[in-house]
Structure formats: C-alpha cells, structure tokens
Amino acid sequence: MSDVVQSPASPSSLPDSRAKTPKAIRLYLGVLLGIAAALVALPFAVYPIFLMKVLCFALFALAFNLLLGFGGLLSFGHAAFFGGAAYVSAHAAKVWGLNPEAAIACGALASMGLGVIIGWLAIRRQGIYFAMITLALAQLVYFACLQAKFTGGEDGVQGVPRGHLFGLFNLADDRVLYAMVAAIFMAGLLAILRVIHSPFGQALKAIRENEARATSLGFRVERYKLAVFILSATLAGTAGATKAVVFQLASLTDVHWATSGAVILMTLVGGMGTLFGPIVGAFVVVGMESYLAPFGAWLTIVEGLIFVTCVILFPNGFVGALAKKTAR
Amino acid sequence: MSTIFGIPSNALFSQLLVGLINGSFYAMLSLGLSIIFGLLNVINFAHGAMYMAGAFVAWILLNEAGIGYWWSLLLAPLVVGLFGAAFERLLLARLYKIDHLYSLLLTFGLALIIQGSFRQVYGSSGLPYAIPAALSGGQKLPFMFLPNYRAWVVVASLSVCVATWLLIEKTKLGAYLRAATENPALVEAFGVNVSLLRTMTYAFGVGLAGLAGVLAAPIYSVSPSMGADTVIVVFAIVVIGGMGSILGSIVTGFGLGLIEGMTKVFYPQAASTAVFVIMALVLIMKPAGLFGRAS
C-alpha cells in the first residue's frame, strides 16, 4: 500500500523531513554530531580564515536552500540580503562602535526588513517570474549600495573593527573569532532544522507539493511564503553580517548578482532540498574560488560548466526538491 | 539657449535620444525573450551574453577578417543564431519535461561560460568599434545635433521589431508559432514539426539579441560585461510589460528606455534604478504586467 501513498519516484523523494524511525533519528543526530565534531577538529587541519569564509557561505546557502528546497521558491536575488546586511553590520561596528554581536544583529534585522519588502513584492508572481523579480529588486539594492554615502561606493566599508564579543572576548584572536563564527553557524543550522520539523515546516511542504490543495485546506499560502522568505532573508543576512566582521570589509561584490549566482551554485552542487547538502556545496564552491582565483576568468567559465553539468546530468535527483508547480 | 522645465532643451533632447537608443535595444531584447518564452517556456538568461557575443562577432569579423559593419549585420546574428540552435538542440531540449527553473539555471550557466570565455580571451576592458563611414557625421536640427548613426539605430530597431511582429501575426509560419504556443501537442498532431519550430524560435530570438549587439557595438564599446547588467534591466521590463503580447514588449521596451532617459535629466541619481522602481509599482498595482494576461 505504501507505494500508492508515496511512490519512490514521487517528488517528495527528498529525505523525509519528519524522521520517524529510531534508526533515522540516530542517523540524523549522527550527522549533526559529525558536523559539530568537524567544527571542532577542522581548524587544526585547515586555515581558519578559509574555514570561516566557508561557514559564512554555508549558512548563506542553508538559508537559500530553506527557501528553495522547502518553500519551492527560487530567489535570484539573495545577494541583496547577504551584502546588504554586511554593509549594515560593518557600518554599525565601525561608525557606531557597536560590539560585534550587536553589529551582526543590526545586519540581520536590516535584512529582515529588506526581506519583508522584497518578499511582499515578489510573492505576487510565481516560478520564473519570482526569480526574475527577486533578481531585479536585488539589482535595485545593488545600485542603492553603489550610490549611498555610507557604503563607500566602489571602495566599500574597509577596516571594520572586529572588536570584543560581549565586550569581553577579543576577536582579533582568530581562534576566538572562529569559535564565534562556528557558534553562529551551528545556531543557524539548528534553527533551520527546527523550522523544517515544525508544523510550519510541514505546511510549507504541503504548499510546495500542491499549492492549490493547501489553499483549499484553509492555509493562507501567501503568508507562509512571505514568512519563509523573511526567515531566509534574515538568516542570509546573519551570514553576510558575520562575514563583514570576519573579513573587516563590506563591498559591492557581496551585493552583486554574481553572489546570488554563487549561492545557487552551492545549493545545486550540494543537492537542492537536501538538509546538509548546501554545506558541502559551500565547501566546494568557496574552495574552488580560492583555488581558481589566480586564473582570472577561468573561475567564471568553470562555474558555468558546473551549472550546465549539474542541470543536464542530475536533474532527476533534484526534481523532488522543487515544487511541481511551475511558472505558467 | 531655450529651456524646458528649467532644463536646457539641448540636454533634454539629447538625453531623450539616449533613452530612445537604450529603448531600441531593450525592445529588441525583450521581444526575443518574449518569443522564446512563449513557445519554449524558458527564460533565456543567456540573452545578455548573446547580445554581447553579437557585438564581439562583429568586432572579430572586422579585426580578424576585414569584414565590415554591413556584412556583420547579417553574419553576426547568423553565427549567434546557429550557436543558439545547437545549444537548444543539444542541451536545452532535454529539460522541457521538467521544472522550468532548471532551464533558467542552464541558461545562467551558459551565460557564465560565454562571458568568462570572452573575458579570458579579450580582457575586461572595452574594445572600440568604429561607426561605419556611410553613417558618420550627423544632422544639425533646430533643437539638437542628431548623429546619423544613432538615428539609424532607432530606425533599424523599429523596422526589425515591426518586421518581427508582421512575421508572427501575418504569415503562415507565424500562425504555426502562435498555435504551438497555445497548444503544442495539438499542433504536432497536425503534422507540424514543433521541436524544429522550437529550435528555430530559440535561434531567431537569440539572433535578434546578436543583431542588437552589432547595432550597439559602435555606440558602447565592445566588452564582455556589456550584456550582464542589460539582461537584468530587460527582465524587469519583461515583468513590467507581461509576456502576453509581442506588441506589448516592443512598446514597453521603447517606453522604459525613454523614461530612463528622462530620469537622467530630472533626477540623475535614480537613472539606473528607475526601471526597477517602476517594476515594483507595476507589481503592486497590476501583478500580471501592463500587457499580460492574468495567470
């Protein structure tokens, strides 16, 4: 009977977000513990600054994936939240002299506000239009950042002080900074897992699978979409704000559409809609960017080739993650 | 010097002309996007890259083979169109049965490959492309100086748009296209080769982008980044116009080019964002777009 309820080829072939059997729960906890252990062990093996960059982008990709994989919405403008928050937290730390945790919170809040506006506009259309609208609105944010005074135009905000966490721990020490970034990443990951497993997450899944039916069951679909959009924007902003503190820099690169493309690539490589895939994707893409940086435009070419290869060779593996409802 | 609304009329008219020129390119690009979207249900992210490729093909023809502007007007769209046809056949056609977002990602990947390749070979700085001799110089109108080449671009773009509209609305081929847009399965049952029609449509759409690129080459310098930002503006224009009608995308393209030009005169800071702000307003008031049918 069970294959009638859910055939293996059905779109919901992604790891069932409600792990029911004890075995699944154990596996699930195992992965989480593995990630926690890796967070502790990796700085002894890998350059910590690189690792912090990976963690920031991994949180960014997880936030993006929450929207795409579990909300069924492909945003092509997530750089607006990542980069916008980076500017705000850099400004808060440098000009207002706030502690790093307060500066990061400012960035995340700013992203949340931006997410309310962009989400409110973009959820009016679906599918491909949604992607185009988010892209266009993010470009609007990009031009605003280019022209605004506090962003420093082409130079960006440089020399952001890392400061003292809670006024106590000096973040100039890379190890302390790493601990903070790892904690933020872990908190973000746990928050996303909590959301996915909540009734809210189940409702999102229902909307993704069949929007019309969810509406007929009495769900206010628009509100759910907006809520997950804002949540995703806030988390993406947290990632960007943290990155600004780590690298002491907020620049136009972070708001550029290429960054929106990069986060899509991370999610695509890792597997859309898988819970932990984006983390792997962030590792691969950030690693590739560092490795290929000396080769100029080759990075762009290789990224393009990976896009094409992933889409052509493994589309069926990813289809489940995307809603069946398509832009018509 | 005469002024209009406190703006020297010279400045006003020359910005209007710039707006009209930009509008010409927007119209040709959004027209191609709409046609492709209509039949293939694909948003072609590589459209800006195709526009850039058209300009580069013209530059390469001139500098490597000594083939001038007029031949390029014919050859560059042909090259871009053939490339597009091959891409559609080999890759894009595999994705029609699954979510359309994958085609968007595929064409985004293609755009990155094309842009990266040209940047790798020709660098990121712009390359100059001279205005053809027959179109150099200009006319001294009573209110402004009108360069011949710019007038030509507006006329050429308008003619191409009108010709495309006639092709789609008044010919048998266009009737097939419109029918296949409505119901591909039924048209196929009548013995029309819809998959060939799709390939031709994609080739034609990107060919239009290539042609726009050749027209743009003497105005903007030829550079690998020339299409990347343009395509985002054109996406916004497509959202504003809605993809329901051919005429709609032409009108919206020219109209927004003009509005952008006017913004440059009256409030220059907002010139690069005007189109996006208008898009937001249209989304609030008429989510399906000005000419779009509600979905």
Side-chain angles (χ1 to χ4, degrees):
Chain A
M1 267 314 281
S2 67
D3 61 341
V4 178
V5 178
Q6 186 176 3
S7 70
S10 89
S12 27
S13 55
L14 74 157
D16 191 353
S17 45
R18 255 187 325 184
K20 291 185 201 85
T21 64
K23 197 180 165 195
I25 291 176
R26 248 180 286 148
L27 182 72
Y28 200 76
L29 283 175
V31 173
L32 270 182
L33 282 176
I35 292 174
L39 283 178
V40 175
L42 272 174
F44 297 102
V46 187
Y47 186 47
I49 297 279
F50 170 77
L51 214 50
M52 287 188 265
K53 188 173 183 188
V54 170
L55 288 181
C56 290
F57 275 100
L59 180 57
F60 183 24
L62 283 168
F64 172 81
N65 186 51
L66 173 67
L67 186 63
L68 174 63
F70 299 91
L73 299 165
L74 172 67
S75 158
F76 232 109
H78 252 46
F81 308 119
F82 186 75
Y87 275 119
V88 172
S89 80
H91 187 78
K94 190 181 177 185
V95 180
W96 299 340
L98 294 185
N99 281 340
E101 74 282 355
I104 291 172
C106 284
L109 279 176
S111 267
M112 184 190 259
L114 200 57
V116 171
I117 300 169
I118 293 185
W120 179 69
L121 285 167
I123 57 167
R124 286 154 194 265
R125 302 301 302 269
Q126 293 164 345
I128 281 172
Y129 279 99
F130 181 87
M132 290 200 290
I133 291 164
T134 45
L135 175 64
L137 292 173
Q139 190 76 348
L140 179 63
V141 173
Y142 173 82
F143 280 116
C145 289
L146 182 64
Q147 291 173 348
K149 284 241 166 53
F150 83 99
T151 56
E154 302 275 353
D155 299 330
V157 184
Q158 300 179 358
V160 178
R162 282 179 179 174
H164 290 68
L165 182 64
F166 304 121
L168 296 172
F169 307 104
N170 189 355
L171 293 184
D173 185 342
D174 277 350
R175 287 168 301 180
V176 182
L177 185 64
Y178 176 81
M180 181 191 81
V181 175
I184 291 176
F185 168 79
M186 209 59 201
L189 176 62
L190 290 175
I192 288 172
L193 294 181
R194 189 70 205 89
V195 167
I196 291 171
H197 294 127
S198 68
F200 172 76
Q202 296 299 318
L204 276 182
K205 197 173 154 194
I207 292 168
R208 186 195 64 199
E209 296 297 332
N210 191 335
E211 188 171 334
R213 180 170 293 173
T215 308
S216 77
L217 287 174
F219 287 107
R220 303 283 290 264
V221 171
E222 304 295 307
R223 286 191 188 175
Y224 278 89
K225 282 184 178 176
L226 184 58
V228 71
F229 192 92
I230 294 170
L231 201 61
S232 172
T234 312
L235 285 165
T238 311
T242 311
K243 180 175 177 273
V245 171
V246 171
F247 288 89
Q248 305 182 279
L249 171 74
S251 72
L252 285 174
T253 316
D254 294 338
V255 255
H256 194 253
W257 56 261
T259 301
S260 300
V263 77
I264 297 174
L265 185 62
M266 289 169 198
T267 311
L268 189 64
V269 169
M272 290 184 201
T274 60
L275 288 174
F276 303 106
I279 304 174
V280 179
F283 225 110
V284 172
V285 173
V286 174
M288 196 177 69
E289 279 176 359
S290 317
Y291 187 72
L292 287 178
F295 300 100
W298 277 107
L299 175 63
T300 316
I301 300 174
V302 171
E303 285 186 343
L305 286 172
I306 295 178
F307 258 108
V308 171
T309 316
C310 280
V311 169
I312 291 295
L313 292 185
F314 321 111
N316 291 323
F318 304 140
V319 166
L322 282 173
K324 272 291 168 191
K325 61 190 165 50
T326 55
R328 259 305 321 175
Chain B
M1 189 187 284
S2 63
T3 60
I4 298 170
F5 304 127
I7 308 278
S9 60
N10 254 340
L12 183 66
F13 283 110
S14 59
Q15 281 306 334
L16 274 182
L17 181 63
V18 170
L20 208 53
I21 298 279
N22 285 338
S24 308
F25 298 129
Y26 294 159
M28 287 176 75
L29 292 174
S30 65
L31 180 60
L33 272 182
S34 305
I35 300 173
I36 292 173
F37 181 79
L39 186 59
L40 281 68
N41 262 320
V42 167
I43 274 293
N44 184 31
F45 213 121
H47 222 66
M50 300 292 193
Y51 162 78
M52 177 265 288
F56 260 104
V57 170
W59 188 89
I60 293 166
L61 284 176
L62 183 67
N63 289 279
E64 308 284 339
I67 296 171
Y69 178 81
W70 301 104
W71 278 105
S72 288
L73 274 185
L74 185 69
L75 289 175
L78 213 59
V79 171
V80 174
L82 282 175
F83 174 79
F87 169 73
E88 195 276 343
R89 266 284 135 118
L90 293 175
L91 298 176
L92 197 54
R94 297 159 180 253
L95 301 180
Y96 293 145
K97 290 206 165 53
I98 61 174
D99 196 303
H100 301 311
L101 293 176
Y102 284 101
S103 340
L104 181 73
L105 295 181
L106 178 72
T107 54
F108 180 70
L110 177 70
L112 290 181
I113 294 173
I114 297 176
Q115 264 166 36
S117 305
F118 277 106
R119 204 163 71 223
Q120 187 61 32
V121 178
Y122 295 98
S124 357
S125 56
L127 304 166
Y129 188 97
I131 290 175
L135 293 172
S136 58
Q139 309 299 320
K140 213 166 165 47
L141 304 181
F143 48 88
M144 66 177 291
F145 179 76
L146 175 65
N148 284 341
Y149 186 78
R150 302 202 163 206
W152 152 250
V153 167
V154 176
V155 172
S157 161
L158 260 180
S159 326
V160 168
C161 288
V162 170
T164 306
W165 180 74
L166 288 174
L167 178 72
I168 291 173
E169 296 292 329
K170 305 289 175 197
T171 67
K172 190 155 190 186
L173 189 65
Y176 285 155
L177 178 82
R178 280 178 287 133
T181 301
E182 290 295 327
N183 190 338
L186 193 61
V187 173
E188 194 134 53
F190 286 141
V192 176
N193 187 342
V194 172
S195 87
L196 181 66
L197 198 60
R198 286 202 183 102
T199 309
M200 283 167 54
T201 305
Y202 189 80
F204 182 78
V206 299
L208 271 183
L211 179 63
V214 183
L215 288 172
I219 296 183
Y220 312 117
S221 58
V222 179
S223 88
S225 59
M226 66 190 282
D229 287 349
T230 312
V231 76
I232 302 179
V233 178
V234 174
F235 278 179
I237 288 172
V238 164
V239 174
I240 294 169
M243 284 196 274
S245 87
I246 300 292
L247 218 50
S249 57
I250 300 172
V251 172
T252 328
F254 274 101
L256 280 151
L258 279 175
I259 292 174
E260 205 182 53
M262 294 299 283
T263 323
K264 243 173 232 159
V265 180
F266 292 103
Y267 191 62
Q269 295 90 325
S272 46
T273 49
V275 173
F276 303 120
V277 173
I278 293 172
M279 183 192 79
L281 293 176
V282 168
L283 277 173
I284 292 170
M285 291 183 289
K286 202 166 181 297
L290 297 178
F291 298 89
R293 286 167 292 186
S295 53

